[in-house]
Amino acid sequence: MSGTFDLYRTGPLPSFLAVPSAEAVTRVRMPTGDHMWLVTDYAVGRAALADPRLSRAAATHPDAPKWGSVDLSPNSIMSLDGADHARLRRVAGAAFTSARVTAQAAVIEEAADALLDQLQAAGPGADLVSGYASPLPMVALSSLLGMPVADRPVFDAAVTGLFDMTPRGVRRRGRHVLTLIEYMSSLIGRKRDVPGQDLLSALVQVEQSGEISRTELINLGLVLLMAGYETTAHQLSLAILELLTGNTPGGKLVETLVEELLRKTPSTPVTFPRVAIEDLVLGGTTVRQGDAVIVSLLHCNHDAEVCPSGVKSNARRPAHLTFGHGAHRCMGAPLVLLQMKIALTRLWQRFPGLRLAPGDGALVWREGLATRGVSRLVVEW
């Protein structure tokens, strides 16, 4: 069954996630008024994420239960099932090579050092979110996809606005969506005219061969940019916060430590809905055709049955679900891992005495966003 959380480090959660359930699968009411099945058990959640009877495509249907106002495009790789999803994933995977990711290490290291130089010059009392955790993923993704430096502010503002779930943000969402589509269309056009060695140029070549459509290319480019930027920035800030305030054991290899931080502090607390395309039994609960299911990655990662607090070795724990599981597992996981390893290593090498600054204003949680994170994290050294 699910473990418990220190809400100081977990931050504000939707009401249906705030209290761990004693059941593996629980019926919950969403902010829209629709009901869904919430999975909080690790084994059941892992099985649900790989079950083809739970469809992401069906969840995009207008009549499907909704959890909020953010609905992915039906043409997005994150909204497809079966052969269509496999085709786009194969295309993206061929461009998103391990060599291309590994080549970003030098870019990330240089950017991390430059940002840390600026923080050091500013002196103690620096905000690690605006000064480090947020700009670093933007540099990495810009380099990977070939986004010009001058374009970053426009993209950053549109993505931040898109994930803003406050009433004001919801009203402006359409404008942000249009901005991002227009931007990606323009960037693709530039890559077509002047191709480079970046990932987006490689995808443009695939589109020109006829393997994917222009609409699919635009959606794929937006998914890579949006998911890779917003969630990684929050993931890094949450990892830093956990190291500053948590009880994560020291002395671990950086690879092991990063995996532990990903398990404890997923920036995406709950998956996108999946809709049952036939009746099935999930964790002893009958889910009817048309019912929606969401998996709490936060609860599953803290499941006391598989991640007991007394176990210190990651080798004795099953793989965390922060990157998902099954056909929709995050393709960008290797890049996220690389960024976090470099970012955390460089940060603590530069500031071995890093600590959270005193005062309530040092830690400010983001509210009204689809992903967890902090908007302010003031530190001293």
Side-chain angles (χ1 to χ4, degrees):
M1 292 295 100
S2 302
T4 57
F5 318 120
D6 181 343
L7 289 178
Y8 178 71
R9 293 198 298 276
T10 301
L13 294 172
S15 58
F16 63 88
L17 282 182
V19 181
S21 171
E23 302 295 330
V25 182
T26 307
R27 187 170 172 82
V28 294
R29 182 184 175 90
M30 311 308 292
T32 59
D34 291 338
H35 286 85
M36 295 187 181
W37 293 106
L38 173 68
V39 180
T40 56
D41 177 272
Y42 176 89
V44 178
R46 193 169 188 269
L49 293 176
D51 196 322
R53 298 171 296 178
L54 294 174
S55 167
R56 280 290 302 126
T60 66
H61 192 277
D63 294 333
K66 305 298 180 187
W67 68 332
S69 59
V70 175
D71 292 322
L72 294 175
S73 165
N75 297 316
S76 167
I77 189 174
M78 299 172 69
S79 302
L80 297 173
D81 298 322
D84 288 334
H85 176 263
R87 176 177 57 85
L88 283 183
R89 193 174 180 91
R90 183 175 60 254
V91 166
F96 210 131
T97 62
S98 58
R100 206 169 244 130
V101 171
T102 301
Q104 298 306 308
V107 174
I108 299 169
E109 289 170 351
E110 181 180 357
D113 289 341
L115 291 168
L116 292 174
D117 286 344
Q118 295 173 17
L119 288 173
Q120 192 165 26
D127 176 20
L128 279 183
V129 174
S130 61
Y132 193 61
S134 184
L136 189 59
M138 176 60 76
V139 172
L141 277 170
S142 298
S143 175
L144 181 71
L145 276 85
M147 177 194 294
V149 174
D151 292 359
R152 293 175 188 171
V154 174
F155 175 79
D156 187 7
V159 171
T160 300
L162 186 64
F163 281 88
D164 185 353
M165 294 295 101
T166 62
R168 181 183 180 186
V170 170
R171 289 195 300 270
R172 297 184 175 185
R173 184 170 182 269
R175 183 197 310 170
H176 296 307
V177 170
L178 183 60
T179 297
L180 287 169
I181 292 174
E182 290 177 342
Y183 171 73
M184 185 54 60
S185 297
S186 171
L187 184 58
I188 287 171
R190 284 179 276 169
K191 296 299 178 184
R192 182 175 288 108
D193 294 337
V194 185
Q197 299 300 313
D198 53 85
L199 187 152
L200 191 57
S201 292
L203 290 174
V204 167
Q205 292 178 9
V206 175
E207 183 250 347
Q208 290 176 317
S209 72
E211 292 184 58
I212 58 175
S213 68
R214 181 173 178 80
T215 298
E216 289 173 332
L217 175 58
I218 292 172
N219 280 321
L220 193 54
L222 287 174
V223 165
L224 291 171
L225 274 172
M226 291 163 51
Y229 169 52
E230 185 78 5
T231 56
T232 304
H234 295 331
Q235 193 67 70
L236 183 54
S237 68
L238 290 170
I240 294 171
L241 177 62
E242 177 65 23
L243 290 172
L244 292 173
T245 64
N247 57 1
T248 301
K252 290 186 174 184
L253 294 174
V254 65
E255 292 83 0
T256 305
L257 178 60
V258 167
E259 292 288 359
E260 175 69 356
L261 290 168
L262 285 164
R263 182 188 71 81
K264 296 184 72 172
T265 63
S267 62
T268 303
V270 64
T271 64
F272 285 110
R274 288 161 166 78
V275 168
I277 56 176
E278 62 181 74
D279 292 354
L280 66 140
V281 177
L282 197 60
T285 297
T286 299
V287 177
R288 300 295 182 188
Q289 181 179 352
D291 287 356
V293 175
I294 51 176
V295 177
S296 171
L297 305 180
L298 187 63
H299 287 86
C300 290
N301 282 353
H302 285 258
D303 189 329
E305 293 294 326
V306 294
C307 298
S309 58
V311 175
K312 302 298 183 182
S313 172
N314 277 35
R316 299 178 185 176
R317 289 174 170 158
H320 61 73
L321 298 180
T322 297
F323 293 127
H325 177 66
H328 282 276
R329 189 178 190 276
C330 176
M331 289 187 300
L335 183 60
V336 175
L337 290 167
L338 179 65
Q339 290 182 73
M340 289 188 66
K341 291 174 188 176
I342 293 173
L344 297 177
T345 300
R346 285 295 212 266
L347 179 60
W348 258 268
Q349 284 177 344
R350 181 71 67 93
F351 304 118
L354 195 70
R355 60 188 180 275
L356 188 66
D360 294 339
L363 171 62
V364 179
W365 287 96
R366 283 179 175 262
E367 295 189 29
L369 292 170
T371 51
R372 294 173 55 236
V374 294
S375 59
R376 184 173 172 82
L377 186 61
V378 181
V379 294
E380 298 177 345
W381 52 86

